[in-house]
Amino acid sequence: MKQASMGLIGLAVMGANLARNLARNKIHTLVYNRTASKTEAFLQQFGNEYLTGSTDLADFCARLTKPRRILLMVKAGEPVDQMIAQLLPHLSPEDIVIDGGNSFYQDTRRRTKELEARGIHFVGMGISGGEEGALHGPSLMPGGSDASYEALEPILQAIAAKAEGGPCVAHIGPDGAGHYVKMVHNGIEYADMQLIADVYSIMKNVLRMDHQEMKALWEEWGRGRLSSYLVDITAKIMDRRDEKTGRPLLECVLDEAGQKGTGKWTGMSALDLGVPVPTIAEAVFARCLSSCRPMRLKASRILGTEAVPEPFSLDRKKQVLEDLENALYASKICAYAQGFALMAAAAEEYHWTLHFPDIAKIWRNGCIIRAAFLNTLSDIYSRNPGLENLILDDHFSRLLKEARPGWGRTVSLAQAAGTAVPGLASALEYFDMCRTEYTSANLIQAQRDFFGAHTYRRRDEDGVFHTEWEKA
Ligand code: 6PG
């Protein structure tokens, strides 16, 4: 029987779609699933000369060309370790095991070491794009050794999304680098989504726009510099009616946001490395707060909200919407600035060389955060790969300065109306703090020295000082 050049384990929707993508690209793929009936049903529907399967792990491994390439599409966490343990007796040195789940990068670092000790390559690969991306072309963020990437490159390039003709895949770096970058991608995804949700809040609660009006506006914005997958789907969501009630379906959806952990990990890593990512963290906390529904319901009864503002004149509304678009774009720049600053710090901490022009390029298509914005970002980093913070780029800094008045008006308007906009507000705070020459941290230092003799430094003199603050 012909040997397969790629093995894939785990036929949940992402795994199944990736297997079909591989086969469509004429890469002979052998699939395996823990439940044999799932493998059989899958093959019955999609099996062909490029897509075959096995229901026995030893047989599965024996039918792969060496060095074996095995893509694990199992649930992140324990299941990955369990599957590796089951595979190990059937693997040989130089084989490559790829973990395509949203695994925690520290687990990937550990697994890389463990498998390296046995001469096996481990590739932690971020895959973005959801079900559709997996089938038609995802954005791929593989980590791992140079040798493993070399062996995988043609396959990954074939199945990845394309942007301006180039495949959305690049070797991110050793051990956990691929999963780290995917984690930050998701942190940015959380921020992007929260910013859009904040704007929706203002449209709905302050401007009292109906769903058709909102849909039209998201579509219009989606044709401009905010053009992106998330804005596109937002317009489509606005348009969808509930079959049962005839009301906009969005209004029937419970306001408790779920999360699987990648946003939280981004925040945790940022806290560990001391990198400010307030907009990403706020997006995680906003999901947490949304889930405190019983408390929120009580609080809304006890504490109420501000009075809904009078309807706006057409001219005023036009101005508010213009401000809103500026606020969203400026906040987006800040969210990406935070994510990239975090990746820079992680690269230093873990001794990775993260190539930002490549990362921006492979996010241009296939992934959830794909957007026209990524073209701008990719140009910026190609021109200036060592840029310290995105807000310092000439093009972005000009835009941010121009947007600042309307951005401020937007946040004030929402706050005056009691409409929470945690994403927009935190991005604005980030921007304002970043551009403040002399912040209020002098007072924090004085307080620390006052109560704990923690000492402080002076602006006008080198050295470390302590003051008996209460002495006359
Ligand atoms: C992607 C997505 C994908 C998944 C998120 C959702 O890039 O394709 O990020 O990985 O949709 O993990 O995460 P939450 O359930 O935490 O929102």
Side-chain angles (χ1 to χ4, degrees):
M1 201 185 288
K2 214 174 146 238
Q3 300 286 97
S5 41
M6 189 77 185
L8 186 144
I9 296 181
L11 289 173
V13 67
M14 287 294 285
N17 283 0
L18 277 168
R20 291 170 60 197
N21 182 348
L22 284 157
R24 198 183 57 242
N25 283 288
K26 298 192 168 32
I27 295 151
H28 185 177
T29 304
L30 186 71
V31 299
Y32 170 88
N33 193 76
R34 203 177 38 174
T35 319
S37 55
K38 195 155 191 176
T39 310
E40 282 150 8
F42 175 77
L43 289 175
Q44 206 145 45
Q45 199 177 356
F46 301 111
N48 59 41
E49 62 174 311
Y50 292 107
L51 196 47
T52 54
S54 172
T55 53
D56 173 86
L57 217 45
D59 170 69
F60 172 81
C61 291
R63 286 167 56 193
L64 294 171
T65 49
K66 285 187 186 169
R68 299 179 181 86
R69 304 176 187 98
I70 301 175
L71 172 57
L72 304 184
M73 292 303 299
V74 300
K75 207 166 171 302
E78 260 305 293
V80 177
D81 288 311
Q82 284 165 5
M83 190 42 76
I84 293 174
Q86 286 176 46
L87 273 173
L88 273 176
H90 311 292
L91 298 183
S92 327
E94 295 310 317
D95 284 352
I96 303 168
V97 177
I98 310 149
D99 172 14
N102 272 329
S103 289
F104 185 47
Y105 70 100
Q106 295 289 24
D107 286 339
T108 305
R109 301 182 76 211
R110 166 180 59 78
R111 289 171 187 141
T112 305
K113 268 208 195 105
E114 288 167 3
L115 291 192
E116 226 168 47
R118 295 166 175 261
I120 295 167
H121 299 280
F122 187 68
V123 172
M125 180 165 77
I127 303 182
S128 180
E131 301 172 23
E132 280 300 298
L135 185 59
H136 300 295
S139 171
L140 299 171
M141 292 150 255
S145 64
D146 291 348
S148 60
Y149 185 70
E150 232 167 80
L152 294 172
E153 190 175 35
I155 297 179
L156 300 182
Q157 287 188 344
I159 64 166
K162 309 291 178 290
E164 287 174 14
C168 292
V169 56
H171 184 208
I172 301 293
D175 60 75
H179 274 146
Y180 193 91
V181 167
K182 173 62 182 9
M183 175 192 82
V184 175
H185 164 284
N186 281 28
I188 293 174
E189 174 185 306
Y190 274 52
D192 253 342
M193 292 167 73
Q194 185 59 44
L195 293 172
I196 291 175
D198 286 358
V199 170
Y200 158 65
S201 261
I202 295 176
M203 288 178 178
K204 185 174 75 157
N205 300 324
V206 183
L207 296 172
R208 290 190 262 174
M209 289 165 69
D210 67 27
H211 281 74
Q212 282 314 303
E213 219 184 335
M214 287 193 270
K215 173 204 162 218
L217 194 60
W218 286 114
E219 278 177 350
E220 186 190 319
W221 287 358
R223 288 189 289 271
R225 61 182 179 168
L226 284 168
S227 159
S228 63
Y229 172 72
L230 286 169
V231 164
D232 272 4
I233 65 168
T234 302
K236 287 181 180 146
I237 290 169
M238 296 298 152
D239 200 27
R240 188 61 191 252
R241 295 221 158 243
D242 177 34
E243 278 163 22
K244 279 190 228 140
T245 61
R247 288 173 49 208
L249 181 54
L250 184 57
E251 288 190 350
C252 306
V253 177
L254 192 70
D255 59 340
E256 282 185 43
Q259 50 179 313
K260 290 195 213 72
T262 44
K264 179 184 82 176
W265 295 339
T266 310
M268 280 162 50
S269 172
L271 288 171
D272 281 345
L273 297 172
V275 179
V277 297
T279 309
I280 295 173
E282 275 296 350
V284 180
F285 288 137
R287 289 196 193 189
C288 299
L289 253 171
S290 80
S291 296
C292 301
R293 191 158 171 271
M295 182 280 283
R296 284 194 293 107
L297 291 182
K298 260 186 227 150
S300 77
R301 278 195 297 273
I302 298 169
L303 303 167
T305 49
E306 313 310 311
V308 178
E310 290 298 309
F312 290 3
S313 70
L314 276 181
D315 277 354
R316 170 100 172 94
K317 189 167 163 187
K318 196 165 162 262
Q319 168 75 58
V320 170
L321 289 175
E322 204 175 292
D323 286 352
L324 207 48
E325 199 266 353
N326 272 313
L328 180 53
Y329 196 75
S331 299
K332 190 176 170 89
I333 297 174
C334 289
Y336 279 74
Q338 295 165 26
F340 275 81
L342 177 59
M343 289 193 286
E348 206 170 309
E349 175 76 10
Y350 301 117
H351 311 292
W352 300 327
T353 309
L354 295 181
H355 198 241
F356 286 173
D358 278 355
I359 294 173
K361 271 198 184 102
I362 65 171
W363 287 353
R364 284 178 306 170
N365 202 3
C367 64
I368 302 296
I369 62 172
R370 62 186 180 263
F373 181 82
L374 262 313
N375 288 323
T376 313
L377 212 63
S378 152
D379 291 346
I380 289 174
Y381 276 125
S382 300
R383 268 200 323 268
N384 187 1
L387 182 65
E388 188 184 345
N389 187 302
L390 272 177
I391 68 168
L392 300 177
D393 168 71
D394 286 348
H395 173 67
F396 276 164
S397 61
R398 205 185 57 243
L399 281 179
L400 286 164
K401 267 199 240 160
E402 279 167 16
R404 177 60 182 81
W407 191 6
R409 283 193 295 269
T410 300
V411 172
S412 304
L413 179 70
Q415 289 177 338
T419 293
V421 285
L424 296 175
S426 83
L428 183 64
E429 295 297 337
Y430 176 80
F431 175 71
D432 279 347
M433 264 202 92
C434 282
R435 68 188 179 126
T436 302
E437 193 196 338
Y438 191 46
T439 67
S440 57
N442 54 338
L443 178 57
I444 306 289
Q445 283 300 78
Q447 288 169 334
R448 290 177 69 240
D449 190 55
F450 189 116
F451 63 65
H454 293 293
T455 73
Y456 60 91
R457 285 182 294 139
R458 294 183 60 97
R459 305 169 75 194
D460 53 0
E461 209 179 317
D462 282 343
V464 171
F465 298 87
H466 168 62
T467 298
E468 290 300 318
W469 291 88
E470 265 184 315
K471 265 204 187 141

